[in-house]
Amino acid sequence: MSHDQPAYGLWTLVIFNSAIFIMFGYSFFKPATARDWRTFSAFSAFIVALFVEMYGFPLTIYLLSGWLQTKYPGLDILTHDAGHLWSTLLGEKGDPHWGPLHIASYIFLGLGFYLLSSAWNVLYHAQRRHVLATAGPYARIRHPQYVAFVLILFGFLLQWPTLLTLLMFPVLLTMYGRLAVTEEAEMRSQFGEMYTRYAQQTPRFFPHFHQSSATSGG
Protein backbone atom coordinates (compact mmCIF):
# COMPACT_ATOMS: atom_id res chain seq x y z
CA MET A 1 0.00 0.00 0.00
CA SER A 2 1.57 3.29 -1.07
CA HIS A 3 1.52 6.67 0.66
CA ASP A 4 -1.09 7.80 -1.91
CA GLN A 5 -3.48 5.31 -0.32
CA PRO A 6 -4.48 5.60 3.32
CA ALA A 7 -3.32 2.63 5.41
CA TYR A 8 -5.73 3.31 8.27
CA GLY A 9 -9.05 5.00 8.89
CA LEU A 10 -10.64 2.44 6.58
CA TRP A 11 -13.66 1.82 8.76
CA THR A 12 -15.66 0.25 5.96
CA LEU A 13 -13.00 -2.47 5.77
CA VAL A 14 -13.13 -2.84 9.56
CA ILE A 15 -16.87 -3.47 9.44
CA PHE A 16 -16.71 -5.65 6.32
CA ASN A 17 -13.90 -7.93 7.52
CA SER A 18 -15.28 -8.20 11.05
CA ALA A 19 -18.71 -9.10 9.68
CA ILE A 20 -17.28 -11.70 7.27
CA PHE A 21 -15.27 -13.59 9.89
CA ILE A 22 -17.94 -13.32 12.56
CA MET A 23 -20.53 -14.67 10.11
CA PHE A 24 -18.12 -17.46 9.15
CA GLY A 25 -17.73 -18.33 12.80
CA TYR A 26 -21.48 -18.14 13.37
CA SER A 27 -22.30 -20.34 10.38
CA PHE A 28 -19.86 -23.03 11.56
CA PHE A 29 -20.53 -22.79 15.30
CA LYS A 30 -24.24 -21.86 15.43
CA PRO A 31 -24.48 -20.88 19.11
CA ALA A 32 -27.63 -22.16 20.78
CA THR A 33 -27.07 -22.11 24.53
CA ALA A 34 -25.97 -19.28 26.84
CA ARG A 35 -22.56 -20.95 27.07
CA ASP A 36 -22.32 -21.08 23.28
CA TRP A 37 -23.09 -17.37 23.07
CA ARG A 38 -20.42 -16.53 25.67
CA THR A 39 -17.90 -18.51 23.65
CA PHE A 40 -18.92 -16.87 20.40
CA SER A 41 -19.05 -13.36 21.90
CA ALA A 42 -15.48 -13.66 23.17
CA PHE A 43 -14.37 -14.81 19.72
CA SER A 44 -16.24 -11.90 18.08
CA ALA A 45 -14.67 -9.35 20.45
CA PHE A 46 -11.22 -10.61 19.47
CA ILE A 47 -12.08 -10.32 15.77
CA VAL A 48 -13.38 -6.74 16.11
CA ALA A 49 -10.34 -5.66 18.16
CA LEU A 50 -8.07 -7.18 15.51
CA PHE A 51 -9.62 -5.47 12.49
CA VAL A 52 -10.01 -2.12 14.24
CA GLU A 53 -6.21 -2.01 14.55
CA MET A 54 -5.56 -3.58 11.15
CA TYR A 55 -7.60 -1.05 9.16
CA GLY A 56 -9.01 1.55 11.54
CA PHE A 57 -6.65 2.91 14.17
CA PRO A 58 -3.26 1.22 14.80
CA LEU A 59 -3.19 1.63 18.57
CA THR A 60 -0.30 -0.80 19.02
CA ILE A 61 1.82 0.98 16.40
CA TYR A 62 0.94 4.32 17.99
CA LEU A 63 1.96 3.16 21.48
CA LEU A 64 5.17 1.55 20.21
CA SER A 65 6.00 4.27 17.67
CA GLY A 66 8.83 5.82 19.71
CA TRP A 67 10.54 2.49 20.29
CA LEU A 68 9.97 1.32 16.71
CA GLN A 69 11.44 4.47 15.21
CA THR A 70 14.48 4.18 17.47
CA LYS A 71 14.99 0.46 16.88
CA TYR A 72 14.13 0.51 13.17
CA PRO A 73 15.00 4.03 11.90
CA GLY A 74 14.11 3.20 8.29
CA LEU A 75 10.67 1.85 9.14
CA ASP A 76 7.70 3.83 7.86
CA ILE A 77 5.20 3.19 10.63
CA LEU A 78 2.35 4.78 8.66
CA THR A 79 2.30 1.97 6.10
CA HIS A 80 0.09 -1.09 6.35
CA ASP A 81 3.12 -3.40 6.06
CA ALA A 82 4.57 -1.97 9.28
CA GLY A 83 1.56 -3.40 11.09
CA HIS A 84 2.90 -6.90 10.43
CA LEU A 85 5.04 -6.57 13.53
CA TRP A 86 6.41 -10.11 13.54
CA SER A 87 7.95 -9.44 10.14
CA THR A 88 9.58 -6.25 11.42
CA LEU A 89 10.76 -7.77 14.69
CA LEU A 90 12.23 -10.82 12.93
CA GLY A 91 14.03 -8.65 10.40
CA GLU A 92 12.26 -10.11 7.38
CA LYS A 93 12.73 -8.37 4.05
CA GLY A 94 10.21 -7.91 1.25
CA ASP A 95 6.43 -8.14 1.27
CA PRO A 96 5.35 -9.42 4.72
CA HIS A 97 2.29 -11.05 3.17
CA TRP A 98 4.62 -13.72 1.74
CA GLY A 99 6.57 -14.25 4.94
CA PRO A 100 6.57 -17.69 6.60
CA LEU A 101 4.51 -16.55 9.58
CA HIS A 102 1.88 -14.98 7.35
CA ILE A 103 1.61 -18.18 5.31
CA ALA A 104 1.48 -20.20 8.54
CA SER A 105 -1.38 -17.98 9.71
CA TYR A 106 -3.46 -19.06 6.71
CA ILE A 107 -2.81 -22.72 7.57
CA PHE A 108 -3.97 -22.24 11.16
CA LEU A 109 -7.03 -20.28 10.01
CA GLY A 110 -7.95 -22.96 7.47
CA LEU A 111 -7.50 -25.78 9.97
CA GLY A 112 -9.52 -23.88 12.56
CA PHE A 113 -12.50 -23.21 10.35
CA TYR A 114 -12.41 -26.78 8.96
CA LEU A 115 -12.35 -28.26 12.47
CA LEU A 116 -15.12 -25.90 13.63
CA SER A 117 -17.33 -26.91 10.72
CA SER A 118 -16.63 -30.65 11.14
CA ALA A 119 -17.29 -30.57 14.88
CA TRP A 120 -20.53 -28.67 14.51
CA ASN A 121 -21.88 -31.19 12.01
CA VAL A 122 -21.27 -34.08 14.43
CA LEU A 123 -22.55 -32.19 17.46
CA TYR A 124 -25.70 -31.03 15.66
CA HIS A 125 -26.78 -34.56 14.73
CA ALA A 126 -25.86 -35.93 18.16
CA GLN A 127 -27.96 -33.29 19.91
CA ARG A 128 -30.92 -34.01 17.64
CA ARG A 129 -30.66 -37.73 18.55
CA HIS A 130 -29.96 -36.96 22.24
CA VAL A 131 -26.79 -39.03 22.18
CA LEU A 132 -23.19 -38.35 23.09
CA ALA A 133 -21.11 -36.85 20.26
CA THR A 134 -18.18 -39.25 19.80
CA ALA A 135 -17.69 -39.38 16.02
CA GLY A 136 -15.51 -37.31 13.70
CA PRO A 137 -13.28 -34.86 15.58
CA TYR A 138 -14.98 -35.88 18.85
CA ALA A 139 -13.36 -39.31 18.45
CA ARG A 140 -9.95 -37.61 18.79
CA ILE A 141 -10.56 -34.86 21.34
CA ARG A 142 -13.42 -33.98 23.64
CA HIS A 143 -13.61 -30.26 22.72
CA PRO A 144 -12.83 -29.77 19.02
CA GLN A 145 -14.85 -26.55 18.79
CA TYR A 146 -12.79 -24.82 21.47
CA VAL A 147 -9.59 -26.08 19.85
CA ALA A 148 -10.87 -24.71 16.53
CA PHE A 149 -11.42 -21.26 18.01
CA VAL A 150 -7.90 -21.29 19.47
CA LEU A 151 -6.40 -22.27 16.10
CA ILE A 152 -8.22 -19.38 14.41
CA LEU A 153 -7.22 -16.84 17.06
CA PHE A 154 -3.60 -18.04 16.99
CA GLY A 155 -3.59 -17.75 13.19
CA PHE A 156 -4.66 -14.13 13.44
CA LEU A 157 -1.96 -13.45 16.05
CA LEU A 158 0.67 -14.76 13.64
CA GLN A 159 -0.68 -12.47 10.94
CA TRP A 160 -1.29 -9.22 12.81
CA PRO A 161 -0.31 -9.05 16.50
CA THR A 162 -1.63 -6.20 18.62
CA LEU A 163 -1.19 -5.47 22.29
CA LEU A 164 -4.90 -5.88 22.93
CA THR A 165 -5.29 -9.21 21.13
CA LEU A 166 -2.08 -10.54 22.70
CA LEU A 167 -3.59 -9.72 26.09
CA MET A 168 -6.95 -11.20 25.13
CA PHE A 169 -5.49 -14.50 23.89
CA PRO A 170 -4.51 -16.02 27.28
CA VAL A 171 -7.78 -14.76 28.75
CA LEU A 172 -9.70 -16.57 26.03
CA LEU A 173 -7.61 -19.72 26.53
CA THR A 174 -8.54 -19.68 30.21
CA MET A 175 -12.18 -19.00 29.40
CA TYR A 176 -12.41 -21.87 26.92
CA GLY A 177 -10.64 -24.18 29.37
CA ARG A 178 -13.14 -23.40 32.12
CA LEU A 179 -16.08 -23.74 29.75
CA ALA A 180 -14.77 -27.15 28.72
CA VAL A 181 -14.61 -28.31 32.34
CA THR A 182 -18.13 -26.99 32.99
CA GLU A 183 -19.39 -28.71 29.86
CA GLU A 184 -17.82 -32.00 30.91
CA ALA A 185 -19.58 -31.86 34.27
CA GLU A 186 -22.88 -31.41 32.48
CA MET A 187 -22.16 -34.25 30.07
CA ARG A 188 -21.14 -36.54 32.93
CA SER A 189 -24.38 -35.68 34.71
CA GLN A 190 -26.40 -36.36 31.56
CA PHE A 191 -24.66 -39.47 30.22
CA GLY A 192 -23.12 -40.91 33.39
CA GLU A 193 -20.76 -43.86 33.00
CA MET A 194 -20.87 -43.59 29.20
CA TYR A 195 -19.29 -40.16 29.35
CA THR A 196 -16.78 -41.25 32.00
CA ARG A 197 -15.54 -44.04 29.71
CA TYR A 198 -15.43 -41.64 26.76
CA ALA A 199 -13.42 -39.09 28.78
CA GLN A 200 -10.98 -41.78 29.93
CA GLN A 201 -10.29 -42.80 26.33
CA THR A 202 -10.39 -39.40 24.61
CA PRO A 203 -8.02 -36.50 25.36
CA ARG A 204 -9.51 -33.17 26.27
CA PHE A 205 -7.65 -30.90 23.81
CA PHE A 206 -4.57 -32.61 22.34
CA PRO A 207 -5.18 -35.72 20.20
CA HIS A 208 -3.14 -38.90 20.45
CA PHE A 209 -2.38 -39.43 16.78
CA HIS A 210 -0.77 -42.81 17.42
CA GLN A 211 -4.05 -44.19 18.75
CA SER A 212 -7.08 -45.23 16.77
CA SER A 213 -10.44 -43.63 17.39
CA ALA A 214 -11.54 -44.43 20.92
CA THR A 215 -15.21 -44.71 20.23
CA SER A 216 -17.54 -44.66 17.32
CA GLY A 217 -21.10 -43.64 16.61
CA GLY A 218 -22.77 -40.48 17.98
Side-chain angles (χ1 to χ4, degrees):
M1 187 173 287
S2 71
H3 280 298
D4 296 332
Q5 299 172 309
Y8 298 105
L10 306 172
W11 296 105
T12 301
L13 280 179
V14 173
I15 296 171
F16 178 77
N17 282 281
S18 298
I20 287 293
F21 281 98
I22 290 173
M23 284 192 296
F24 259 124
Y26 180 86
S27 64
F28 292 147
F29 185 56
K30 290 184 171 53
T33 66
R35 181 177 57 244
D36 290 345
W37 278 108
R38 286 197 297 273
T39 304
F40 185 70
S41 296
F43 169 79
S44 300
F46 183 99
I47 294 297
V48 172
L50 169 75
F51 284 113
V52 164
E53 289 215 38
M54 188 180 291
Y55 295 113
F57 179 76
L59 178 63
T60 299
I61 297 295
Y62 175 77
L63 293 175
L64 299 179
S65 58
W67 179 78
L68 287 171
Q69 288 179 325
T70 301
K71 184 74 173 178
Y72 306 96
L75 180 67
D76 186 349
I77 61 172
L78 296 180
T79 63
H80 179 81
D81 287 352
H84 294 278
L85 280 176
W86 294 131
S87 179
T88 299
L89 298 177
L90 294 175
E92 294 180 354
K93 304 298 182 184
D95 189 340
H97 298 89
W98 295 103
L101 287 182
H102 203 284
I103 293 174
S105 76
Y106 286 130
I107 296 174
F108 278 99
L109 289 171
L111 288 173
F113 278 111
Y114 174 77
L115 181 58
L116 192 62
S117 174
S118 301
W120 178 84
N121 185 51
V122 174
L123 185 61
Y124 171 77
H125 289 94
Q127 288 176 335
R128 283 176 60 90
R129 293 159 52 195
H130 303 287
V131 298
L132 185 61
T134 60
Y138 285 92
R140 296 292 184 182
I141 51 177
R142 302 203 295 272
H143 301 281
Q145 289 185 305
Y146 294 141
V147 172
F149 276 124
V150 171
L151 289 174
I152 294 169
L153 299 178
F154 184 69
F156 278 127
L157 284 181
L158 290 180
Q159 189 173 131
W160 192 279
T162 73
L163 293 175
L164 184 57
T165 53
L166 286 171
L167 289 173
M168 290 176 70
F169 187 67
V171 174
L172 290 171
L173 288 182
T174 303
M175 176 182 173
Y176 291 147
R178 290 181 175 177
L179 286 170
V181 172
T182 301
E183 186 177 288
E184 288 180 7
E186 294 176 358
M187 292 297 100
R188 191 169 283 106
S189 174
Q190 182 176 354
F191 293 101
E193 182 61 25
M194 180 187 297
Y195 186 81
T196 298
R197 288 199 303 272
Y198 168 71
Q200 289 173 342
Q201 297 171 340
T202 312
R204 179 174 284 165
F205 296 122
F206 301 101
H208 295 157
F209 289 106
H210 61 283
Q211 293 180 345
S212 59
S213 300
T215 56
S216 60

